Amino acid sequence: QVQLVESGGGLVQAGGSLRLSCAVSGRTFSAYGMGWFRQAPGKEREFVAAITWHGGSTYYADSVQGRFTISRDNAKNTVSLQMNSLTPEDTAVYYCARQNSPGYGSRLYSIQSTNYNYWGQGTQVTVSS
């Protein structure tokens, strides 16, 4: 069974930074692309960032491009999301997720939540103005 556990959320002032981490159990971590999604109150879950299984390609939502950076460490089974220049609009519960098929890497595939079958419990990020 694959388990994902996020950490690093919290309260930060606008303009500040946070780093989210996701620890993934299982020996096949390096074979799968990973993603971060978020859900704000009253809104649908939305794509934030994704990284291919080998880490060679990354994808971002337009709203976070240039401010957020996704990375992975296949030796440690972790994926991270560095978030800079945070705004109140970034306030949400952030989820990491594992893609449901190994080896895929297109942006179109990675931005769709239905292509992920394992999810963490989420970590709250709150940005005050």
Side-chain angles (χ1 to χ4, degrees), residues 36-117:
W36 286 92
F37 291 77
R38 67 186 182 186
Q39 187 166 19
K43 295 187 177 181
E44 294 186 354
R45 187 173 298 186
E46 66 173 357
F47 169 77
V48 175
I51 187 167
T52 52
W53 60 276
H54 48 77
S57 295
T58 56
Y59 312 111
Y60 298 93
D62 290 344
S63 59
V64 308
Q65 180 76 48
R67 300 188 298 122
F68 290 12
T69 302
I70 188 172
S71 61
R72 68 186 297 159
D73 185 337
N74 285 345
K76 296 182 178 179
N77 279 25
T78 59
V79 59
S80 299
L81 184 69
Q82 178 65 42
M83 306 185 296
N84 298 329
S85 301
L86 286 162
T87 74
E89 289 68 37
D90 295 314
T91 295
V93 177
Y94 283 71
Y95 299 90
C96 74
R98 197 201 79 172
Q99 292 179 4
N100 56 15
S101 295
Y104 277 59
S106 74
R107 175 180 175 83
L108 182 60
Y109 181 86
S110 298
I111 66 175
Q112 300 183 59
S113 63
T114 52
N115 291 326
Y116 295 77
N117 59 345

